[in-house]
Amino acid sequence: MKPMAHLGVGIGWRPEIADAVERLPGLDWVEVVAENVCLGHLPESLLRLRERGTRVVPHGVSLGLGGADRPDPAKLAALGERAVALGAPLVTEHIAFVRTSSPVLEAGHLLPVPRTRDALDVLCENVRIAQDSLPVPLALENIAALFSWPGEELTEAQFLTELVERTGVRLLIDVANLHTNRVNRGEDPAAVLDAIPLEALAYVHVAGGIERGGVWHDTHAHPVPPVVLDLLAALRSRVDPPGVLLERDDDFPAEAELAGELAAIRAVVTAGPAAVADRALAGSGPAAAEPRPDAEPDAAAERDAADEPRPVEESARTRVALGQAALLSALVAGTPVPEGFDRRRIRVQARALAAKRADVVARLAPELPEILGGPDPYREAFLSYAKGRPMTAGYRRDALDFAEDLLIRDLPADPVARRRLTAWWRDRTGARPPRRIVRWARALAGRAA
């Protein structure tokens, strides 16, 4: 595997902190959420960063390569176009599933795939399809999870290692997610770092979170805790990462605090071997003193893995599809929790998904909380709607469906607010809200199907 280009220390670019990002001292690169970049209308801030030599890497969140379906060609094309437009050296995505096609459901969130042979076979084939479609190399990120799948056949390290061996894909290791999975799933981050092929490392994510009721929530809205920096040191004691990136997605702090977090990350990355090893020992178990003897894959074996893919039986895709559909339906549509899952954790995840839907819709359509009388009435109304209406076509469609649902039920009660909501809905759909009888007919047709 060819060495990865050096990226350095970077930060996730977000519109809310665009000006601050441009002023951060010693910034080497930035990462952007691919789906939030509009081709032909790149933000001026990103253009200025590129002009001064700052690399930009698109980070996808919607491919769902761990899902049972093959990747959407349109989504792959869009990701590739963004890589070309940004002059990116690679693109990244997640080892996760985000939707099901039967029934049609959207999680609006990255959900863990079962670490089974079937799921690995499906993931590997999906990754190969993506690699063949993309104009630059692909790296995949380990995700944070609130729960585990029953009946798993592989450890996290075995799953990641075989994925790399069979596809040649690179890894984006999120050390904050390693900590999340230590708390939530009892997994040992040191064991993962000791066993995965770190020669495939593309770069590293660092982020903050918070623990509530024994569950770690990977919020990207809190400062990076010392325990996550300890895991970065543990990784650094094993390998010199090509790049390290700070993620912050919400509740953005002052510019000085962002700069301080980047400085703390840079201090770990540039520390001498003895200092890094001491911190790693204190935070996450023993570091590997020497590279693994099999760290460099045999070139012929790597070529064979690329040239002779293992075919995936459709029955494997079907089994993965059935399991993912049952789980996602329990999470977003209120169906029974499949056998073997931790029901309490699934309830926590379901509440988190509904809350995320409410938050994202409010950001995309800030007029809705205003029309409904403020954040609290909006949230109450949206969560009530979400209980019976799982998302099927993304957050923007969800906002329109929510408004339509209110109007069909003659809500909000205030006539002025209802007229404003009607105007808002019509402006975005160019249509008239269906009458209540039409909605009943739709519901009946859906039950019959």
Side-chain angles (χ1 to χ4, degrees):
M1 184 173 287
K2 294 180 181 179
M4 177 66 202
H6 180 75
L7 292 171
V9 175
I11 192 170
W13 184 93
R14 303 293 183 265
E16 297 89 340
I17 53 172
D19 292 341
V21 167
E22 290 188 60
R23 292 189 293 265
L24 288 171
L27 187 69
D28 299 311
W29 65 293
V30 298
E31 180 192 79
V32 297
V33 177
E35 290 80 356
N36 292 347
V37 175
C38 183
L39 293 180
H41 301 280
L42 293 178
E44 292 294 327
S45 173
L46 279 181
L47 294 175
R48 287 192 294 269
L49 287 168
R50 285 198 61 205
E51 286 170 2
R52 73 188 201 199
T54 305
R55 280 183 164 170
V56 182
V57 173
H59 184 54
V61 297
S62 66
L63 270 182
L65 291 174
D69 295 323
R70 290 175 176 82
D72 181 343
K75 290 183 182 294
L76 284 172
L79 184 58
E81 288 167 358
R82 281 152 179 76
V84 172
L86 295 168
L90 79 163
V91 296
T92 58
E93 249 289 352
H94 299 83
I95 301 170
F97 83 100
V98 297
R99 66 182 61 86
T100 59
S101 58
S102 181
V104 177
L105 296 171
E106 287 276 348
H109 189 70
L110 303 165
L111 295 175
V113 300
R115 290 180 299 214
T116 62
R117 287 289 169 192
D118 280 346
L120 180 60
D121 287 346
V122 169
L123 174 63
C124 286
E125 184 170 90
N126 289 349
V127 168
R128 289 180 180 279
I129 292 169
Q131 289 170 318
D132 289 344
S133 301
L134 293 169
V136 294
L138 172 68
L140 295 182
E141 179 181 351
N142 61 306
I143 72 163
L146 280 172
F147 59 88
S148 297
W149 282 77
E152 293 193 315
E153 300 164 331
L154 302 165
T155 66
E156 176 81 343
Q158 289 169 335
F159 195 86
L160 294 177
T161 298
E162 191 163 337
L163 171 65
V164 171
E165 290 172 347
R166 290 171 56 178
T167 66
V169 76
R170 293 187 182 273
L171 295 177
L172 192 180
I173 295 299
D174 189 316
V175 291
N177 291 349
L178 292 179
H179 173 64
T180 300
N181 295 341
R182 167 166 53 191
V183 176
N184 293 349
R185 306 204 288 186
E187 296 174 357
D188 180 6
V192 175
L193 294 176
D194 281 341
I196 60 175
L198 289 175
E199 66 276 8
L201 184 65
Y203 60 89
V204 180
H205 272 175
V206 180
I210 190 169
E211 187 172 350
R212 298 191 194 97
V215 174
W216 186 269
H217 296 270
D218 180 47
T219 63
H220 294 193
H222 293 82
V224 176
V227 68
V228 171
L229 290 177
D230 290 343
L231 284 176
L232 176 61
L235 182 146
R236 176 65 181 87
S237 71
R238 293 159 168 82
V239 68
D240 186 6
V244 181
L245 183 120
L246 171 65
E247 285 190 296
R248 188 72 178 239
D249 293 326
D250 204 354
D251 197 14
F252 297 100
E255 184 176 332
E257 187 174 336
L258 285 176
E261 290 205 289
L262 280 176
I265 290 169
R266 189 176 288 108
V268 174
V269 174
T270 59
V276 169
D278 286 346
R279 179 162 194 166
L281 284 166
S284 63
E290 299 292 337
R292 296 182 299 123
D294 60 342
E296 284 299 325
D298 179 74
E302 188 174 326
R303 185 169 59 252
D304 288 344
D307 293 343
E308 299 179 11
R310 182 183 302 174
V312 177
E313 297 180 1
E314 286 305 311
S315 59
R317 284 193 181 271
T318 299
R319 288 190 292 270
V320 171
L322 290 172
Q324 291 181 347
L327 173 62
L328 187 52
S329 183
L331 288 170
V332 303
T335 60
V337 177
E339 195 66 34
F341 283 96
D342 184 322
R343 284 172 166 74
R344 185 181 72 85
R345 288 295 176 89
I346 297 300
R347 287 194 295 271
V348 171
Q349 182 72 83
R351 289 194 296 270
L353 292 179
K356 181 178 180 179
R357 280 177 70 185
D359 291 342
V360 174
V361 166
R363 286 200 297 270
L364 290 174
E367 304 88 349
L368 293 178
E370 180 190 348
I371 291 170
L372 296 177
D376 291 341
Y378 158 78
R379 193 174 187 84
E380 181 180 355
F382 188 91
L383 292 178
S384 175
Y385 150 82
K387 287 180 181 178
R389 290 289 300 275
M391 184 164 56
T392 59
Y395 286 111
R396 295 187 188 280
R397 182 72 248 178
D398 207 22
L400 294 173
D401 289 346
F402 170 53
E404 178 187 310
D405 184 76
L406 290 173
L407 292 171
I408 288 170
R409 293 188 290 122
D410 293 328
L411 295 172
D414 176 25
V416 175
R418 194 161 62 250
R419 283 195 296 271
R420 289 184 62 198
L421 184 61
T422 300
W424 182 90
W425 188 88
R426 285 177 176 170
D427 284 346
R428 285 151 183 80
T429 63
R432 183 180 296 277
R435 295 183 182 276
R436 204 174 308 173
I437 188 67
V438 175
R439 180 59 177 276
W440 289 342
R442 286 180 184 174
L444 289 172
R447 292 192 192 104

